[in-house]
Amino acid sequence: MRVHVADHPLITHKLTVLRDKSTPAPVFRALTEELVTLLAYEATRNVRTEPVEIETPVTTTTGIAISTPRPLVVPILRAGLGMLEGMVKLLPTAEVGFLGMLRNEETLEPATYAERLPEDLSDRQCFVLDPMLATGGSLGAAIEFLFDRGAIDVTAICLLAAPEGIAALEKATEGRDVTIVLGALDERLDENGYIVPGLGDAGDRLYGLV
């Protein structure tokens, strides 16, 4: 498993505003979209391409296009939806699937409650969107779900992660082709499984307490 922390002042600045508990939901949503676009730039560095011949106003030349089958973007519901627009702005030809993962707040174990994905993901590159990599349970289960459908490699994009979540995910995905792209690696998890210093519950801050 490869872990890339995108160390850039614009990313750190936007994360600082996201962390502030006084940041209102509309600003939080807008900044999340902007931040994901920056992270997606790093996450798609190894997206598969193929040569294509085009005509410029001057001559004929060879460029590149995104290969088929097209990449699949998979936000984990519900918080991952807040990251989707920023991702598809950078990768508009990608297909989009959905995966609903719910964490039991007592056991901290994940469960799948909804999915809308192709039955066969053979030879597909998948990009999973999940704002917070805390215990690693939900993201690990989502990644395994995609590999079980035939995905060849999976890249997860997260705003924040805790060291405990990284360690758990590395163990859970041993032998898999997995890349994790982060805005920041935080200090630790607290006794309730929340990232410290973190930014709170990303879903609640994006969409409210529902």
Side-chain angles (χ1 to χ4, degrees), residues 6-23:
D7 184 18
H8 191 286
L10 284 179
I11 290 175
T12 304
H13 163 67
K14 293 179 190 298
L15 275 175
T16 299
V17 181
L18 289 182
R19 292 182 192 275
D20 190 337
K21 67 180 183 180
S22 66
T23 298

Side-chain angles (χ1 to χ4, degrees), residues 30-99:
L31 283 175
T32 296
E33 179 181 322
E34 294 171 10
L35 184 54
V36 171
T37 300
L38 293 173
L39 294 176
Y41 179 81
E42 295 294 336
T44 55
R45 187 173 295 276
N46 294 317
V47 69
R48 289 185 299 168
T49 60
E50 56 191 25
V52 59
E53 189 173 280
I54 61 168
E55 287 191 18
T56 77
V58 179
T59 187
T60 299
T61 188
T62 300
I64 61 170
I66 302 299
S67 297
T68 54
R70 290 179 289 169
L72 181 69
V73 176
V74 184
I76 298 181
L77 305 177
R78 68 178 168 138
L81 282 176
M83 304 172 69
L84 179 59
E85 191 63 28
M87 183 71 185
V88 296
K89 276 188 174 180
L90 194 71
L91 200 61
T93 61
E95 294 183 345
V96 177
F98 298 94
L99 192 57

Side-chain angles (χ1 to χ4, degrees), residues 126-178:
C126 297
F127 296 88
V128 181
L129 309 179
D130 193 12
M132 314 296 284
L133 173 48
T135 64
S138 295
L139 187 54
I143 290 172
E144 191 63 27
F145 193 100
L146 297 175
F147 278 114
D148 287 345
R149 290 275 176 101
I152 59 168
D153 70 76
V154 176
T155 297
I157 303 174
C158 306
L159 304 182
L160 299 177
E164 296 92 332
I166 292 291
L169 200 58
E170 187 168 24
K171 182 178 180 181
T173 61
E174 186 176 0
R176 303 290 202 184
D177 189 358
V178 175

Side-chain angles (χ1 to χ4, degrees), residues 19 160-165 184-190 194-198:
R19 292 182 192 275
L160 299 177
E164 296 92 332
L185 181 59
D186 276 12
E187 297 173 9
R188 59 183 174 84
L189 294 179
D190 67 12
Y194 282 92
I195 298 174
V196 178

